[in-house]
Amino acid sequence: MKIVIHGLLFDEVAAAVRELGAPAFRAKQLWHWLYVQRAAAWDAMKNLPADLRQKLAEKFELEAVRQLEITGVEGETRKILAGLRDGECVEEVLLPSGDRRTVCISSQVGCKFACAFCASGQAGFRRNLSAGEIVGEVLLAAAAWNDRPGNLVFMGVGEPLDNYDEVLRAIRILNHAEGLAIGARRMTLSTCGVIPGIQRLANEGLQIELSVSLHAPDDATRAQLMPVNRRYPLAEVLAVCRAYAEKTKRLITFEYTLVRGVNDSAAQAGELVRLLAPLPARVNLIPLSPVEGYAGEPSAPETARQFIRALERAGLNATLRDSQGSRLKAACGQLRIRHL
Ligand code: SAH
């Protein structure tokens, strides 16, 4: 298979252009076609000489990710099923809000971590996405909007810190000032708490927003929902989060999916407050989106309101995410499962 052009960093594109015998300024033109014009065909790159376009087309793949399906209508939350060259597929979600365009992307085909209520883990793990495929997801979103997304969240299928190198490479490509130019502070990476990955990310010199899926304030409950807690227990996860916040000067967001009778009691709200007190933190409460194969139910709306009030009374910044996504089957992995 040809090399995916969108997986190359700017310097690598420059080296490839040089190798094909073209002068250095052609690399800038090509990069512009890839990320500013977002050309869908080599022949559209009008200011590149035909023989260079020909050589590029022989060596590189321009369309590693294709849209198989798109749900919803313009202006609302939409979901794209993205097909890959080997027949695998992942999903991404377009989240417009006023003038803001946020795209939620996947980092792996399937997931190894098997959180109890997450559809992504149910189908098992297939493979990592390459950087070019991750960038390709963002380009599909840009094509659907006919404009670049200004914000990016790694909250689709997969665990981004379990595919660290490709995810970081994609981040650097997406971040490039003369390309899509998505600012690091406008990228959120959501993790189930992979400690070595959080430590590495803290030292990249990037102010990526970190979001950590917590879902419970104690090890026993968390391990029941998230098997990863046996490997990376709460206290250790929170310690590296604190170091991350100090290093990057960013708040950490903690995701907390409310499950009726499992993690939504007043006592658990209190424990959560105590746990997060030493951190610059905000909490994002998520109503459970029902998935087949998990018997848990969403918390009653009144319970959810009491939970958030308890956090707010203690001075913790908390939001209750609406469940627009769940109507659309936007929760992690659900569209892909249906497709399979
Ligand atoms: N692997 C990463 C990112 C993917 S999931 C992580 O674990 O953070 C993004 C968020 O959606 C996570 O907080 C995840 O736990 C949550 N989630 C997954 N399935 C859900 C469901 N059925 N209902 C509510 N939240 C869900």
Side-chain angles (χ1 to χ4, degrees):
M1 274 198 278
K2 291 183 203 172
I3 301 163
V4 179
I5 189 87
H6 297 113
L8 301 188
L9 298 162
F10 180 81
D11 290 349
E12 294 166 342
V13 167
V17 163
R18 205 180 317 124
E19 238 167 73
L20 295 177
F25 74 93
R26 296 293 182 202
K28 277 203 172 186
Q29 289 178 322
L30 173 55
W31 192 259
H32 199 268
W33 282 113
L34 294 175
Y35 299 113
V36 180
Q37 305 282 348
R38 297 183 294 277
W42 297 105
D43 282 339
M45 304 183 184
K46 294 296 180 202
N47 60 359
L48 297 185
D51 70 315
L52 177 59
R53 294 199 307 249
Q54 176 69 31
K55 286 186 215 158
L56 286 167
E58 279 163 17
K59 190 157 179 198
F60 295 106
E61 176 66 62
L62 193 57
E63 212 188 358
V65 184
R66 282 166 208 245
Q67 181 178 301
L68 299 180
E69 193 183 322
I70 183 161
T71 65
V73 295
E74 178 85 56
E76 290 176 12
T77 303
R78 306 181 86 175
K79 202 153 195 189
I80 294 175
L81 189 68
L84 309 173
R85 290 183 297 172
D86 60 355
E88 297 288 357
C89 64
V90 290
E91 57 198 277
E92 54 184 294
V93 186
L94 311 187
L95 301 150
S97 165
D99 290 341
R100 271 168 77 102
R101 284 176 303 279
T102 302
V103 58
C104 169
I105 57 174
S106 296
S107 56
Q108 298 180 311
V109 184
C111 187
K112 297 174 194 166
F113 291 83
C115 298
F117 48 70
C118 181
S120 297
Q122 287 177 3
F125 176 75
R126 303 282 300 169
R127 67 170 174 88
N128 281 328
L129 289 185
S130 66
E133 289 170 329
I134 295 169
V135 173
E137 289 183 76
V138 178
L139 291 171
L140 276 193
W145 270 315
N146 201 20
D147 207 344
R148 59 180 274 283
N151 304 277
L152 179 69
V153 298
F154 283 93
M155 288 190 188
V157 178
E159 168 49 49
L161 296 183
D162 186 46
N163 183 18
Y164 191 93
D165 292 335
E166 295 300 308
V167 165
L168 251 287
R169 170 177 274 273
I171 285 172
R172 295 199 185 278
I173 296 166
L174 296 165
N175 185 232
H176 195 279
E178 285 168 58
L180 284 159
I182 303 176
R185 292 161 116 187
R186 292 174 180 273
M187 299 187 195
T188 300
L189 188 147
S190 181
T191 177
C192 61
V194 177
I195 287 178
I198 298 173
Q199 287 168 326
R200 270 180 86 181
L201 192 62
N203 292 312
E204 296 284 353
L206 288 165
Q207 286 186 306
I208 304 283
E209 294 281 330
L210 186 66
S211 189
V212 176
S213 298
L214 209 61
H215 303 321
D218 65 89
D219 281 317
T221 313
R222 189 163 188 267
Q224 179 195 327
L225 294 171
M226 305 178 71
V228 68
N229 193 76
R230 296 193 189 102
R231 176 118 181 249
Y232 302 123
L234 263 177
E236 291 171 31
V237 170
L238 292 174
V240 297
C241 286
R242 195 168 167 176
Y244 186 90
E246 276 164 17
K247 192 105 191 191
T248 61
K249 315 278 179 249
R250 311 301 294 156
L251 280 183
I252 313 265
T253 302
F254 291 93
E255 309 278 325
Y256 197 105
T257 296
L258 289 165
V259 188
R260 183 185 300 221
V262 173
N263 63 2
D264 63 353
S265 72
Q268 285 163 318
E271 271 180 75
L272 185 59
V273 165
R274 269 196 304 282
L275 200 65
L276 298 183
L279 283 134
R282 81 167 85 78
V283 177
N284 195 0
L285 296 168
I286 315 169
L288 176 72
S289 169
V291 285
E292 255 175 72
Y294 179 62
E297 288 169 46
S299 301
E302 184 48 31
T303 313
R305 275 194 293 275
Q306 279 168 11
F307 200 93
I308 192 171
R309 251 183 260 130
L311 303 185
E312 285 169 346
R313 264 201 310 274
L316 203 55
N317 180 340
T319 49
L320 185 61
R321 199 198 277 173
D322 71 40
S323 53
Q324 202 194 19
S326 78
R327 281 200 299 282
L328 246 168
K329 297 220 169 298
C332 212
Q334 289 178 342
L335 185 68
R336 177 166 173 269
I337 295 267
R338 201 191 73 206
H339 183 79
L340 295 176

